[in-house]
Amino acid sequence: MNRTYISYMKRALTMARKGIGRTAPNPSVGCVIVKDGKIIAEGWHKKAGGPHAEIHALQQAGEAARGADVYVTLEPCCHTGKTPPCSSALIAAGVKRVVAAMADPNPLVSGGGLLALRQAGIEIHCGMLETEARAINRAFIKHVSTGRPHVTYKCAMTLDGKIASVTGESRWISCEASRKYVHRLRTQCDAIIVGVDTIITDDPQLTVRHVRGKSPLRVIIDSTLRTPMSVQVLSTTLAKKTLIATVETDPSMHLRYQQSGATILVCKELNGKVDLMDMLKQLGARGIQSVLLEGGSRLAGEALRQGLIDECLFFYAPKVIGSDGFSPFVITGITSMEKSFSFSQIGVRQIGSDIVISARPENTCLQD
């Protein structure tokens, strides 16, 4: 591939990244328009319901778009949703060529956009920097393919793999730079999920504070509705963006939470607790594409056991607690290495004084 052409797509990818965490249930898309070897316009999808990346770029280019090349990180859409088809807009603008990083996995598009452009006489190329493009929209791809959100599990631990001391103390294991990074992750996710024990023990706000950006939906898994009304996520304005997943069906028990502004999500029951798969399906049906699973260890262990985690982020701090501390996953019954959970696609980086390891469980449940 020509290096100059690749640089145009890299710029489109940079534009697309601006939309991560802002566009659900739509994908994050970037677009640049090139003419006579120069970028004359660029755009990105800023929020669901608003103009798509191609439209922003075409509006910026105006009449200069005629005869130009368009680099876009995802196949232009060919259906009418909240906005008209981008493929039709590109055809009307008279562009010469469209280079897409990847085809759209959405069944409503799925090659139809590229076909419409080709039938209109526009030169088509697809697949440039596809791996990078898929990474940007991994949550969208997971959501549109399975109906469930992409799940990232995050935990901070000591070098000997403990997330809290024997007394339950965990503040602060990770360094300030890592905490800031996690808050940036929160801005890129549609929801944060924690178990009720984490709420009772830590009373977290589950908001974005150290960086600029929106706070995601807060989801508390509370099978029997024992979350105290005094916790921060219910006793302040935060309640309006808090959802409690439960198996309790008694409307009278729902009422006090609903009066605070929180939402009750009744889920199927599995072994007396919230069926995590059903909960994720219901979140997906609400347009939630990406979730950050932050605790606790029993919840994480069950999610890993069921193959519901797509990626793990382990923040290792240069500290040691010893054998009395708590582990990140409560999983029992593993008596040999053959029964252990395996991970792949390992990544290692340093943030402040912490070492961060990213890894993907190999037992991830891709299908229902």
Side-chain angles (χ1 to χ4, degrees), residues 151-312:
V151 179
T152 300
Y153 171 60
K154 180 278 304 180
C155 70
M157 67 180 83
T158 58
L159 289 177
D160 54 341
K162 304 301 179 182
I163 62 171
S165 69
V166 67
T167 63
E169 182 182 353
S170 60
R171 295 182 178 178
W172 296 102
I173 290 179
S174 58
C175 68
E176 184 177 350
S178 289
R179 296 197 295 274
K180 185 175 181 179
Y181 179 80
V182 169
H183 278 257
R184 189 173 296 112
L185 281 177
R186 288 181 176 181
T187 70
Q188 297 176 351
C189 290
D190 300 323
I192 302 175
I193 299 179
V194 297
V196 63
D197 288 337
T198 296
I199 293 294
I200 293 173
T201 302
D202 298 337
D203 191 16
Q205 296 181 50
L206 301 179
T207 57
V208 171
R209 296 184 299 280
H210 299 294
V211 299
R212 294 181 61 183
K214 68 173 182 64
S215 292
L217 175 72
R218 290 166 288 277
V219 179
I220 304 170
I221 300 180
D222 183 359
S223 299
T224 57
L225 291 183
R226 56 191 179 93
T227 302
M229 295 303 300
S230 59
V231 298
Q232 294 186 83
V233 293
L234 292 179
S235 61
T236 67
T237 56
L238 300 180
K240 293 182 179 180
K241 205 173 179 181
T242 297
L243 182 151
I244 302 176
T246 185
V247 299
E248 178 57 63
T249 59
D250 186 350
S252 64
M253 294 189 66
H254 298 175
L255 186 59
R256 60 174 181 161
Y257 296 109
Q258 293 169 333
Q259 288 177 335
S260 75
T263 300
I264 295 293
L265 184 71
V266 177
C267 302
K268 293 180 181 179
E269 183 177 323
L270 181 65
N271 298 324
K273 299 180 179 180
V274 167
D275 183 329
L276 299 181
M277 174 68 85
D278 180 64
M279 180 200 67
L280 290 173
K281 288 180 179 179
Q282 291 199 52
L283 292 179
R286 290 170 175 255
I288 301 296
Q289 283 188 357
S290 57
V291 301
L292 188 61
L293 179 60
E294 293 204 11
S297 55
R298 280 191 289 272
L299 171 59
E302 188 60 25
L304 180 63
R305 190 187 67 79
Q306 293 186 33
L308 301 179
I309 297 176
D310 297 289
E311 181 177 16
C312 292

Side-chain angles (χ1 to χ4, degrees), residues 100-146:
M102 61 175 286
D104 192 336
N106 187 341
L108 295 175
V109 183
S110 191
L114 296 177
L115 178 61
L117 294 171
R118 185 178 291 109
Q119 290 176 339
I122 296 174
E123 184 181 343
I124 297 298
H125 296 275
C126 185
M128 180 183 288
L129 301 184
E130 180 173 354
T131 299
E132 291 86 342
R134 293 183 70 87
I136 290 173
N137 276 311
R138 59 187 180 184
F140 168 75
I141 294 169
K142 171 74 177 290
H143 184 254
V144 79
S145 300
T146 69

